[in-house]
PDB file of all heavy atoms in Angstrom:
ATOM      1  N   ARG A 264       2.784 143.673  -1.231  1.00 65.00           N
ATOM      2  CA  ARG A 264       1.872 144.726  -0.758  1.00 65.00           C
ATOM      3  C   ARG A 264       2.146 145.280   0.580  1.00 65.00           C
ATOM      4  O   ARG A 264       1.409 146.061   1.069  1.00 65.00           O
ATOM      5  CB  ARG A 264       0.472 144.135  -0.805  1.00 65.00           C
ATOM      6  CG  ARG A 264       0.046 143.617  -2.081  1.00 65.00           C
ATOM      7  CD  ARG A 264      -0.985 144.424  -2.755  1.00 65.00           C
ATOM      8  NE  ARG A 264      -1.087 144.253  -4.136  1.00 65.00           N
ATOM      9  CZ  ARG A 264      -2.250 144.323  -4.778  1.00 65.00           C
ATOM     10  NH1 ARG A 264      -3.369 144.477  -4.367  1.00 65.00           N
ATOM     11  NH2 ARG A 264      -2.100 144.194  -6.097  1.00 65.00           N
ATOM     12  N   GLY A 267       0.556 145.998   5.594  1.00 73.00           N
ATOM     13  CA  GLY A 267      -0.890 146.044   5.768  1.00 73.00           C
ATOM     14  C   GLY A 267      -1.494 144.919   5.143  1.00 73.00           C
ATOM     15  O   GLY A 267      -2.594 144.309   5.624  1.00 73.00           O
ATOM     16  N   PHE A 270      -1.092 141.683   7.182  1.00 82.00           N
ATOM     17  CA  PHE A 270      -2.038 141.620   8.214  1.00 82.00           C
ATOM     18  C   PHE A 270      -3.452 141.135   7.791  1.00 82.00           C
ATOM     19  O   PHE A 270      -4.063 140.344   8.522  1.00 82.00           O
ATOM     20  CB  PHE A 270      -2.049 143.078   8.917  1.00 82.00           C
ATOM     21  CG  PHE A 270      -2.311 143.147  10.310  1.00 82.00           C
ATOM     22  CD1 PHE A 270      -1.435 143.092  11.172  1.00 82.00           C
ATOM     23  CD2 PHE A 270      -3.640 143.271  10.697  1.00 82.00           C
ATOM     24  CE1 PHE A 270      -1.634 143.200  12.537  1.00 82.00           C
ATOM     25  CE2 PHE A 270      -4.048 143.286  12.056  1.00 82.00           C
ATOM     26  CZ  PHE A 270      -2.905 143.163  13.058  1.00 82.00           C
ATOM     27  N   GLU A 271      -3.899 141.740   6.635  1.00 83.00           N
ATOM     28  CA  GLU A 271      -5.188 141.462   6.345  1.00 83.00           C
ATOM     29  C   GLU A 271      -5.326 139.887   5.892  1.00 83.00           C
ATOM     30  O   GLU A 271      -6.322 139.278   6.268  1.00 83.00           O
ATOM     31  CB  GLU A 271      -5.491 142.311   4.970  1.00 83.00           C
ATOM     32  CG  GLU A 271      -6.770 141.900   4.192  1.00 83.00           C
ATOM     33  CD  GLU A 271      -8.008 142.205   4.883  1.00 83.00           C
ATOM     34  OE1 GLU A 271      -8.047 142.944   5.840  1.00 83.00           O
ATOM     35  OE2 GLU A 271      -9.063 141.690   4.340  1.00 83.00           O
ATOM     36  N   ARG A 274      -5.565 137.911   9.007  1.00 86.00           N
ATOM     37  CA  ARG A 274      -6.817 138.144   9.659  1.00 86.00           C
ATOM     38  C   ARG A 274      -7.938 137.434   8.932  1.00 86.00           C
ATOM     39  O   ARG A 274      -8.722 136.765   9.640  1.00 86.00           O
ATOM     40  CB  ARG A 274      -7.051 139.664   9.699  1.00 86.00           C
ATOM     41  CG  ARG A 274      -8.384 140.142  10.011  1.00 86.00           C
ATOM     42  CD  ARG A 274      -8.388 141.574   9.786  1.00 86.00           C
ATOM     43  NE  ARG A 274      -9.783 142.219  10.087  1.00 86.00           N
ATOM     44  CZ  ARG A 274      -9.986 143.507  10.135  1.00 86.00           C
ATOM     45  NH1 ARG A 274      -8.972 144.369   9.889  1.00 86.00           N
ATOM     46  NH2 ARG A 274     -11.107 143.930  10.353  1.00 86.00           N
ATOM     47  N   SER A 282     -14.697 130.838  11.778  1.00 85.00           N
ATOM     48  CA  SER A 282     -16.061 130.893  11.526  1.00 85.00           C
ATOM     49  C   SER A 282     -16.533 129.454  11.259  1.00 85.00           C
ATOM     50  O   SER A 282     -17.690 129.187  11.231  1.00 85.00           O
ATOM     51  CB  SER A 282     -16.307 131.628  10.236  1.00 85.00           C
ATOM     52  OG  SER A 282     -15.755 131.070   9.064  1.00 85.00           O
ATOM     53  N   ARG A 575     -18.084 133.613  -4.096  1.00 94.00           N
ATOM     54  CA  ARG A 575     -18.610 134.999  -4.419  1.00 94.00           C
ATOM     55  C   ARG A 575     -17.627 135.991  -3.659  1.00 94.00           C
ATOM     56  O   ARG A 575     -17.384 137.060  -4.217  1.00 94.00           O
ATOM     57  CB  ARG A 575     -19.968 135.061  -3.710  1.00 94.00           C
ATOM     58  CG  ARG A 575     -21.124 134.748  -4.581  1.00 94.00           C
ATOM     59  CD  ARG A 575     -22.484 134.737  -3.910  1.00 94.00           C
ATOM     60  NE  ARG A 575     -22.856 136.188  -3.744  1.00 94.00           N
ATOM     61  CZ  ARG A 575     -23.623 136.814  -4.646  1.00 94.00           C
ATOM     62  NH1 ARG A 575     -23.910 136.500  -5.822  1.00 94.00           N
ATOM     63  NH2 ARG A 575     -23.862 138.140  -4.401  1.00 94.00           N
ATOM     64  N   LEU A 579     -15.825 138.957  -5.423  1.00 96.00           N
ATOM     65  CA  LEU A 579     -15.903 140.364  -4.921  1.00 96.00           C
ATOM     66  C   LEU A 579     -14.493 140.999  -4.719  1.00 96.00           C
ATOM     67  O   LEU A 579     -14.165 142.092  -5.184  1.00 96.00           O
ATOM     68  CB  LEU A 579     -16.725 140.486  -3.644  1.00 96.00           C
ATOM     69  CG  LEU A 579     -16.709 141.742  -2.906  1.00 96.00           C
ATOM     70  CD1 LEU A 579     -17.544 142.735  -3.673  1.00 96.00           C
ATOM     71  CD2 LEU A 579     -17.130 141.625  -1.446  1.00 96.00           C
ATOM     72  N   ARG A 580     -13.640 140.157  -4.095  1.00 95.00           N
ATOM     73  CA  ARG A 580     -12.335 140.574  -3.915  1.00 95.00           C
ATOM     74  C   ARG A 580     -11.534 140.956  -5.174  1.00 95.00           C
ATOM     75  O   ARG A 580     -10.800 142.039  -5.240  1.00 95.00           O
ATOM     76  CB  ARG A 580     -11.467 139.658  -3.068  1.00 95.00           C
ATOM     77  CG  ARG A 580     -11.914 139.580  -1.553  1.00 95.00           C
ATOM     78  CD  ARG A 580     -11.092 138.482  -0.912  1.00 95.00           C
ATOM     79  NE  ARG A 580     -11.518 138.387   0.539  1.00 95.00           N
ATOM     80  CZ  ARG A 580     -11.225 139.243   1.562  1.00 95.00           C
ATOM     81  NH1 ARG A 580     -10.281 140.204   1.376  1.00 95.00           N
ATOM     82  NH2 ARG A 580     -11.709 139.079   2.733  1.00 95.00           N
ATOM     83  N   LYS A 581     -11.807 140.132  -6.214  1.00 96.00           N
ATOM     84  CA  LYS A 581     -11.195 140.436  -7.473  1.00 96.00           C
ATOM     85  C   LYS A 581     -11.745 141.724  -8.142  1.00 96.00           C
ATOM     86  O   LYS A 581     -11.059 142.474  -8.747  1.00 96.00           O
ATOM     87  CB  LYS A 581     -11.440 139.221  -8.423  1.00 96.00           C
ATOM     88  CG  LYS A 581     -10.471 137.993  -8.045  1.00 96.00           C
ATOM     89  CD  LYS A 581     -10.349 137.070  -9.174  1.00 96.00           C
ATOM     90  CE  LYS A 581      -9.159 136.446  -9.140  1.00 96.00           C
ATOM     91  NZ  LYS A 581      -8.837 135.695 -10.326  1.00 96.00           N
ATOM     92  N   LEU A 583     -12.775 144.175  -6.507  1.00 96.00           N
ATOM     93  CA  LEU A 583     -12.171 145.375  -5.810  1.00 96.00           C
ATOM     94  C   LEU A 583     -10.683 145.518  -5.976  1.00 96.00           C
ATOM     95  O   LEU A 583     -10.091 146.390  -5.428  1.00 96.00           O
ATOM     96  CB  LEU A 583     -12.488 145.170  -4.309  1.00 96.00           C
ATOM     97  CG  LEU A 583     -13.968 145.096  -3.860  1.00 96.00           C
ATOM     98  CD1 LEU A 583     -14.184 144.984  -2.392  1.00 96.00           C
ATOM     99  CD2 LEU A 583     -14.706 146.404  -4.246  1.00 96.00           C
ATOM    100  N   GLY A 584     -10.074 144.643  -6.907  1.00 95.00           N
ATOM    101  CA  GLY A 584      -8.687 144.862  -7.246  1.00 95.00           C
ATOM    102  C   GLY A 584      -7.814 143.784  -6.716  1.00 95.00           C
ATOM    103  O   GLY A 584      -6.663 143.933  -6.942  1.00 95.00           O
ATOM    104  N   ARG A 587      -4.510 137.747  -8.941  1.00 94.00           N
ATOM    105  CA  ARG A 587      -4.448 136.324  -8.669  1.00 94.00           C
ATOM    106  C   ARG A 587      -3.564 135.968  -7.497  1.00 94.00           C
ATOM    107  O   ARG A 587      -3.974 135.120  -6.676  1.00 94.00           O
ATOM    108  CB  ARG A 587      -3.925 135.710  -9.944  1.00 94.00           C
ATOM    109  CG  ARG A 587      -4.959 135.482 -11.024  1.00 94.00           C
ATOM    110  CD  ARG A 587      -4.489 134.858 -12.227  1.00 94.00           C
ATOM    111  NE  ARG A 587      -5.538 134.731 -13.110  1.00 94.00           N
ATOM    112  CZ  ARG A 587      -5.342 134.397 -14.301  1.00 94.00           C
ATOM    113  NH1 ARG A 587      -4.246 134.059 -14.897  1.00 94.00           N
ATOM    114  NH2 ARG A 587      -6.390 134.328 -15.302  1.00 94.00           N
ATOM    115  N   ILE A 663     -16.162 137.740 -12.785  1.00 92.00           N
ATOM    116  CA  ILE A 663     -17.514 137.806 -13.062  1.00 92.00           C
ATOM    117  C   ILE A 663     -18.347 136.612 -12.833  1.00 92.00           C
ATOM    118  O   ILE A 663     -19.453 136.596 -12.178  1.00 92.00           O
ATOM    119  CB  ILE A 663     -17.841 138.508 -14.348  1.00 92.00           C
ATOM    120  CG1 ILE A 663     -19.294 139.040 -14.367  1.00 92.00           C
ATOM    121  CG2 ILE A 663     -17.671 137.523 -15.523  1.00 92.00           C
ATOM    122  CD1 ILE A 663     -19.467 140.359 -13.581  1.00 92.00           C
TER     123      ILE A 663
ATOM    124  N   TYR B 280     -22.189 134.685 -25.410  1.00 94.00           N
ATOM    125  CA  TYR B 280     -22.269 133.551 -24.307  1.00 94.00           C
ATOM    126  C   TYR B 280     -22.595 132.275 -25.035  1.00 94.00           C
ATOM    127  O   TYR B 280     -23.586 132.067 -25.643  1.00 94.00           O
ATOM    128  CB  TYR B 280     -23.176 133.870 -23.233  1.00 94.00           C
ATOM    129  CG  TYR B 280     -22.859 134.991 -22.303  1.00 94.00           C
ATOM    130  CD1 TYR B 280     -23.507 136.097 -22.325  1.00 94.00           C
ATOM    131  CD2 TYR B 280     -21.731 134.961 -21.514  1.00 94.00           C
ATOM    132  CE1 TYR B 280     -23.242 137.294 -21.560  1.00 94.00           C
ATOM    133  CE2 TYR B 280     -21.417 135.973 -20.616  1.00 94.00           C
ATOM    134  CZ  TYR B 280     -22.176 137.129 -20.685  1.00 94.00           C
ATOM    135  OH  TYR B 280     -21.946 138.315 -19.892  1.00 94.00           O
ATOM    136  N   ASN B 318     -20.222 145.367 -16.906  1.00 96.00           N
ATOM    137  CA  ASN B 318     -19.186 144.521 -16.500  1.00 96.00           C
ATOM    138  C   ASN B 318     -17.974 144.692 -17.402  1.00 96.00           C
ATOM    139  O   ASN B 318     -16.748 144.715 -16.939  1.00 96.00           O
ATOM    140  CB  ASN B 318     -19.547 143.048 -16.509  1.00 96.00           C
ATOM    141  CG  ASN B 318     -20.488 142.788 -15.372  1.00 96.00           C
ATOM    142  OD1 ASN B 318     -20.777 143.497 -14.465  1.00 96.00           O
ATOM    143  ND2 ASN B 318     -21.350 141.789 -15.610  1.00 96.00           N
ATOM    144  N   GLU B 343      -4.222 140.072 -16.890  1.00 92.00           N
ATOM    145  CA  GLU B 343      -5.081 139.883 -15.581  1.00 92.00           C
ATOM    146  C   GLU B 343      -4.710 140.904 -14.600  1.00 92.00           C
ATOM    147  O   GLU B 343      -5.642 141.585 -13.936  1.00 92.00           O
ATOM    148  CB  GLU B 343      -4.879 138.549 -15.015  1.00 92.00           C
ATOM    149  CG  GLU B 343      -6.015 137.567 -15.321  1.00 92.00           C
ATOM    150  CD  GLU B 343      -7.230 137.782 -14.494  1.00 92.00           C
ATOM    151  OE1 GLU B 343      -7.142 138.170 -13.359  1.00 92.00           O
ATOM    152  OE2 GLU B 343      -8.301 137.507 -14.884  1.00 92.00           O
ATOM    153  N   ALA B 347      -6.801 143.929 -12.865  1.00 96.00           N
ATOM    154  CA  ALA B 347      -7.019 144.029 -11.449  1.00 96.00           C
ATOM    155  C   ALA B 347      -6.785 145.408 -10.784  1.00 96.00           C
ATOM    156  O   ALA B 347      -7.452 146.046 -10.090  1.00 96.00           O
ATOM    157  CB  ALA B 347      -6.290 142.948 -10.646  1.00 96.00           C
ATOM    158  N   ARG B 350      -9.311 147.854 -11.955  1.00 96.00           N
ATOM    159  CA  ARG B 350     -10.482 147.731 -11.118  1.00 96.00           C
ATOM    160  C   ARG B 350     -10.374 148.376  -9.752  1.00 96.00           C
ATOM    161  O   ARG B 350     -11.238 148.946  -9.177  1.00 96.00           O
ATOM    162  CB  ARG B 350     -10.798 146.333 -10.888  1.00 96.00           C
ATOM    163  CG  ARG B 350     -11.306 145.504 -12.100  1.00 96.00           C
ATOM    164  CD  ARG B 350     -12.038 144.228 -11.864  1.00 96.00           C
ATOM    165  NE  ARG B 350     -11.025 143.151 -11.428  1.00 96.00           N
ATOM    166  CZ  ARG B 350     -10.476 142.226 -12.224  1.00 96.00           C
ATOM    167  NH1 ARG B 350     -10.764 142.278 -13.468  1.00 96.00           N
ATOM    168  NH2 ARG B 350      -9.656 141.508 -11.771  1.00 96.00           N
ATOM    169  N   ASN B 351      -9.136 148.194  -9.256  1.00 96.00           N
ATOM    170  CA  ASN B 351      -8.755 148.829  -7.938  1.00 96.00           C
ATOM    171  C   ASN B 351      -8.686 150.219  -7.900  1.00 96.00           C
ATOM    172  O   ASN B 351      -9.205 150.942  -7.030  1.00 96.00           O
ATOM    173  CB  ASN B 351      -7.367 148.073  -7.456  1.00 96.00           C
ATOM    174  CG  ASN B 351      -7.087 148.607  -6.114  1.00 96.00           C
ATOM    175  OD1 ASN B 351      -6.070 149.219  -5.789  1.00 96.00           O
ATOM    176  ND2 ASN B 351      -7.877 148.115  -5.220  1.00 96.00           N
ATOM    177  N   ASN B 362     -23.277 143.109  -2.010  1.00 95.00           N
ATOM    178  CA  ASN B 362     -21.971 142.249  -2.004  1.00 95.00           C
ATOM    179  C   ASN B 362     -21.095 142.677  -0.959  1.00 95.00           C
ATOM    180  O   ASN B 362     -19.833 143.047  -1.213  1.00 95.00           O
ATOM    181  CB  ASN B 362     -21.335 142.378  -3.388  1.00 95.00           C
ATOM    182  CG  ASN B 362     -21.848 141.235  -4.287  1.00 95.00           C
ATOM    183  OD1 ASN B 362     -22.371 140.274  -3.923  1.00 95.00           O
ATOM    184  ND2 ASN B 362     -21.762 141.671  -5.690  1.00 95.00           N
ATOM    185  N   LEU B 364     -18.963 141.799   2.636  1.00 93.00           N
ATOM    186  CA  LEU B 364     -18.527 140.597   3.307  1.00 93.00           C
ATOM    187  C   LEU B 364     -19.370 140.507   4.622  1.00 93.00           C
ATOM    188  O   LEU B 364     -19.274 141.409   5.444  1.00 93.00           O
ATOM    189  CB  LEU B 364     -17.155 140.666   3.654  1.00 93.00           C
ATOM    190  CG  LEU B 364     -16.140 140.617   2.514  1.00 93.00           C
ATOM    191  CD1 LEU B 364     -14.700 140.565   3.097  1.00 93.00           C
ATOM    192  CD2 LEU B 364     -16.371 139.456   1.561  1.00 93.00           C
ATOM    193  N   ARG B 366     -19.247 138.872   7.346  1.00 89.00           N
ATOM    194  CA  ARG B 366     -18.719 138.771   8.670  1.00 89.00           C
ATOM    195  C   ARG B 366     -17.899 139.900   9.032  1.00 89.00           C
ATOM    196  O   ARG B 366     -17.360 139.997  10.168  1.00 89.00           O
ATOM    197  CB  ARG B 366     -17.942 137.463   8.797  1.00 89.00           C
ATOM    198  CG  ARG B 366     -18.839 136.210   8.687  1.00 89.00           C
ATOM    199  CD  ARG B 366     -17.950 135.008   8.716  1.00 89.00           C
ATOM    200  NE  ARG B 366     -16.952 135.000   9.825  1.00 89.00           N
ATOM    201  CZ  ARG B 366     -17.199 134.679  11.056  1.00 89.00           C
ATOM    202  NH1 ARG B 366     -18.394 134.370  11.401  1.00 89.00           N
ATOM    203  NH2 ARG B 366     -16.230 134.848  11.928  1.00 89.00           N
ATOM    204  N   HIS B 371     -14.370 147.527   7.978  1.00 95.00           N
ATOM    205  CA  HIS B 371     -13.526 146.533   7.243  1.00 95.00           C
ATOM    206  C   HIS B 371     -13.928 146.336   5.820  1.00 95.00           C
ATOM    207  O   HIS B 371     -13.022 146.250   4.852  1.00 95.00           O
ATOM    208  CB  HIS B 371     -13.480 145.233   7.977  1.00 95.00           C
ATOM    209  CG  HIS B 371     -12.461 144.205   7.579  1.00 95.00           C
ATOM    210  ND1 HIS B 371     -12.607 142.844   7.799  1.00 95.00           N
ATOM    211  CD2 HIS B 371     -11.382 144.409   6.758  1.00 95.00           C
ATOM    212  CE1 HIS B 371     -11.606 142.287   7.069  1.00 95.00           C
ATOM    213  NE2 HIS B 371     -10.789 143.150   6.501  1.00 95.00           N
ATOM    214  N   LEU B 375     -11.413 147.118   2.186  1.00 94.00           N
ATOM    215  CA  LEU B 375     -10.917 146.219   1.210  1.00 94.00           C
ATOM    216  C   LEU B 375     -10.234 146.775   0.009  1.00 94.00           C
ATOM    217  O   LEU B 375      -9.099 146.279  -0.275  1.00 94.00           O
ATOM    218  CB  LEU B 375     -12.079 145.261   0.808  1.00 94.00           C
ATOM    219  CG  LEU B 375     -12.433 144.174   1.769  1.00 94.00           C
ATOM    220  CD1 LEU B 375     -13.549 143.337   1.238  1.00 94.00           C
ATOM    221  CD2 LEU B 375     -11.233 143.300   2.045  1.00 94.00           C
ATOM    222  N   TYR B 379      -5.964 146.148  -1.234  1.00 94.00           N
ATOM    223  CA  TYR B 379      -5.366 145.622  -2.510  1.00 94.00           C
ATOM    224  C   TYR B 379      -4.623 146.773  -3.203  1.00 94.00           C
ATOM    225  O   TYR B 379      -3.843 146.442  -4.221  1.00 94.00           O
ATOM    226  CB  TYR B 379      -6.403 144.975  -3.408  1.00 94.00           C
ATOM    227  CG  TYR B 379      -6.896 143.744  -2.774  1.00 94.00           C
ATOM    228  CD1 TYR B 379      -8.270 143.670  -2.335  1.00 94.00           C
ATOM    229  CD2 TYR B 379      -6.077 142.582  -2.465  1.00 94.00           C
ATOM    230  CE1 TYR B 379      -8.756 142.563  -1.630  1.00 94.00           C
ATOM    231  CE2 TYR B 379      -6.605 141.570  -1.959  1.00 94.00           C
ATOM    232  CZ  TYR B 379      -7.941 141.465  -1.453  1.00 94.00           C
ATOM    233  OH  TYR B 379      -8.290 140.383  -0.777  1.00 94.00           O
ATOM    234  N   ARG B 384      -2.107 150.125   7.202  1.00 90.00           N
ATOM    235  CA  ARG B 384      -3.326 149.957   7.963  1.00 90.00           C
ATOM    236  C   ARG B 384      -3.887 151.166   8.599  1.00 90.00           C
ATOM    237  O   ARG B 384      -5.040 151.392   8.610  1.00 90.00           O
ATOM    238  CB  ARG B 384      -2.819 149.001   9.306  1.00 90.00           C
ATOM    239  CG  ARG B 384      -3.270 147.560   8.904  1.00 90.00           C
ATOM    240  CD  ARG B 384      -2.938 146.719  10.207  1.00 90.00           C
ATOM    241  NE  ARG B 384      -4.231 146.585  11.000  1.00 90.00           N
ATOM    242  CZ  ARG B 384      -4.228 146.630  12.353  1.00 90.00           C
ATOM    243  NH1 ARG B 384      -3.034 146.751  13.044  1.00 90.00           N
ATOM    244  NH2 ARG B 384      -5.247 146.329  13.032  1.00 90.00           N
ATOM    245  N   ARG B 387      -5.456 153.382   6.021  1.00 94.00           N
ATOM    246  CA  ARG B 387      -6.654 152.597   5.544  1.00 94.00           C
ATOM    247  C   ARG B 387      -7.746 152.898   6.438  1.00 94.00           C
ATOM    248  O   ARG B 387      -8.768 153.184   5.888  1.00 94.00           O
ATOM    249  CB  ARG B 387      -6.241 151.016   5.626  1.00 94.00           C
ATOM    250  CG  ARG B 387      -6.770 150.301   4.470  1.00 94.00           C
ATOM    251  CD  ARG B 387      -5.888 148.957   4.409  1.00 94.00           C
ATOM    252  NE  ARG B 387      -6.115 148.029   5.419  1.00 94.00           N
ATOM    253  CZ  ARG B 387      -5.284 146.987   5.589  1.00 94.00           C
ATOM    254  NH1 ARG B 387      -4.210 146.831   4.857  1.00 94.00           N
ATOM    255  NH2 ARG B 387      -5.532 146.158   6.543  1.00 94.00           N
TER     256      ARG B 387
END
Side-chain angles (χ1 to χ4, degrees):
Chain A
R264 302 252 158 142
F270 209 89
E271 166 76 10
R274 169 184 179 168
S282 70
R575 274 177 72 89
L579 174 69
R580 285 177 184 275
K581 287 200 154 189
L583 298 179
R587 280 183 178 168
I663 197 70
Chain B
Y280 291 108
N318 293 338
E343 257 283 328
R350 291 196 288 267
N351 186 243
N362 274 334
L364 293 186
R366 296 175 46 80
H371 187 201
L375 278 182
Y379 297 114
R384 262 184 95 215
R387 217 152 77 190

